[in-house]
Amino acid sequence: MFGIERSAWLLAILSAVLQVLIFPLPNLYVLSWIAIAPLMVALLRARLPETLQLQSDRKLLPARPLQGFLLGYACGILWYGGNCYWVLSTMQQYGGIGTLGATGLLALFCLYLALYHGAFGLIISLLAKRSLRTALVFSPFVWVAVELTRTRISGFPWDLLGITQVDNIPLAKIASFTGGYGVSLEIMIVNAAFAAAFVIRRSRRKPLLLAALIAACLLQLGRWIPAPPLLTDQTVLLVQENIPVLDSSNWTKERFEDTLADLTQISSNPPTGEKRHPDLIVWPESPAPFYSGDPLFRSGISHLASTAQAWVVAGNIGVQNASVSPEQPTQIFNSAALISPSGDWDGRYDKVHLVPFGEYLPFKNWLSFAGGLTKEVGDFSRGTSRAPLQAGKQKLGIFICYESIFPDEVRRFAKDGAQVFVNISNDGWYGDSGAYAQHLKQARMRAIENARWLLRDTNTGVTASIDPYGRIVASLPRKTRAALVAPYALESGTTFYTRYGDWLAYGCAIISMGAISLSLTPVKGRRTG
């Protein structure tokens, strides 16, 4: 099909399957060292030569640019379908869309984002016109450049390759210098070495294959090397609300008051045996109608803060310009309020990076066919500031849900002085799919990149305290209403990544553009086939 050998298609499919397996669930992260190699081999051994004499030798040639795009594109479609399958059930259960419509949206989602895998295949095939060596040497830089492009253009850097090694502390620690992109680069270097072993001459295959295997084993050994313990001097109480997602009509006054009272009681009475007074109490992003302007909610949270004599961070729906003239329309924000021990509402963070199809509907006119979706999706306004909130002697870098997957955005909190990260989220939208675990791993990488403690408080789990090495120090089981008393510490230093951001990824992009320019320059005396 399209002049591409059947073996190349099978290798592209194998690569997609491996890329699904390395992310939770099932979390076979050890396969990350070979997950992209089959796609590389497929791109470099994709077609028979046109000359009959050479065809008899069965020597396969690199894909032409269009063929390379198609192989990468097919791999990407399968990967997004297998990795982000939870989009289907989320659209059905919470978007009010039927099976057919939800399936169509998932298909469009995969067809769109798979363009980045297609771009990788296209670029590698262009580089292979110069030589196989050129394609192999530059492939890790191209992969990182494509990851950066996916982050910046599409705004969906979900499960970048480096996330697979977040439990590999010595390896993941380089993210404090390079960002998670540096881990992606290392993984791709090993993948390129494995791919090279299957496309070079047989006489050189065994040494290169052995070298790649040794490199993968040595790098993976870091998974079992423990990091040193860290001192803690602060205590947080993280409240996991476990509130179901309900229609607004089901939120009666009685249900609302009972829920608020129960959460306040849990927050005021930490688990038995805990004697230390919490320095901070956190409530997550919640599906409950907790509006900042609701006197009952405000008084309840203020009473909690003053009674506990602690700072409180509470997820809520922030309202601005309510009951004002038509010239100033009401704005609604996904917010986190900061309440002082005296009960005063002392500050608020409004979510800056909203979730498409969740908090706003892109291309609303084009998606008019999805009537249920356009009715269910919120119409939130964007926040404008990522300044840390001052809670006594602490500077809190607060970000909400989906924002945790954007490395460059989260680092700005630390750069501006945040001493601890607070991530509130409602992962109940994902149900029992692997998305909640994927989300947790990405949030952990933010702690590593910026050498900050991360207090992650979610509605249904996983609620946890995460140290600057990305380790989960304390956590609650999912789908329980409970409070977790957990340790943390304040950090004031900044990492190289915090100060300079995605310098490595941009460097990879520049190198990739240079390599593409080189590949388009005719080589005298050489036929590119």
Side-chain angles (χ1 to χ4, degrees), residues 28-81:
L28 300 178
Y29 50 84
V30 69
L31 297 176
S32 62
W33 306 107
I34 60 169
I36 315 299
L39 175 60
M40 291 287 299
V41 175
L43 294 169
L44 300 178
R45 295 174 58 85
R47 62 187 175 91
L48 284 170
E50 296 176 358
T51 306
L52 292 176
Q53 182 178 356
L54 293 176
Q55 284 182 9
S56 63
D57 296 334
R58 297 299 298 176
K59 182 179 180 181
L60 297 176
L61 298 179
R64 298 185 187 279
L66 178 59
Q67 294 171 328
F69 172 81
L70 292 173
L71 284 168
Y73 192 51
C75 179
I77 292 172
L78 293 174
W79 182 73
Y80 277 105

Side-chain angles (χ1 to χ4, degrees), residues 4 16 25 100 130 205 237 274 292 340-341 408 450 464 496 501:
I4 300 172
L25 307 166
L100 185 60
R130 186 82 179 187
R205 183 168 298 177
L237 189 143
E274 295 291 347
S292 63
S340 73
D408 185 64
N450 300 280
F496 192 89

Side-chain angles (χ1 to χ4, degrees), residues 239-253:
V239 179
Q240 186 168 281
E241 296 177 346
N242 196 37
I243 296 174
V245 179
L246 302 172
D247 290 333
S248 57
S249 59
N250 291 326
W251 277 103
T252 62
K253 182 180 180 181

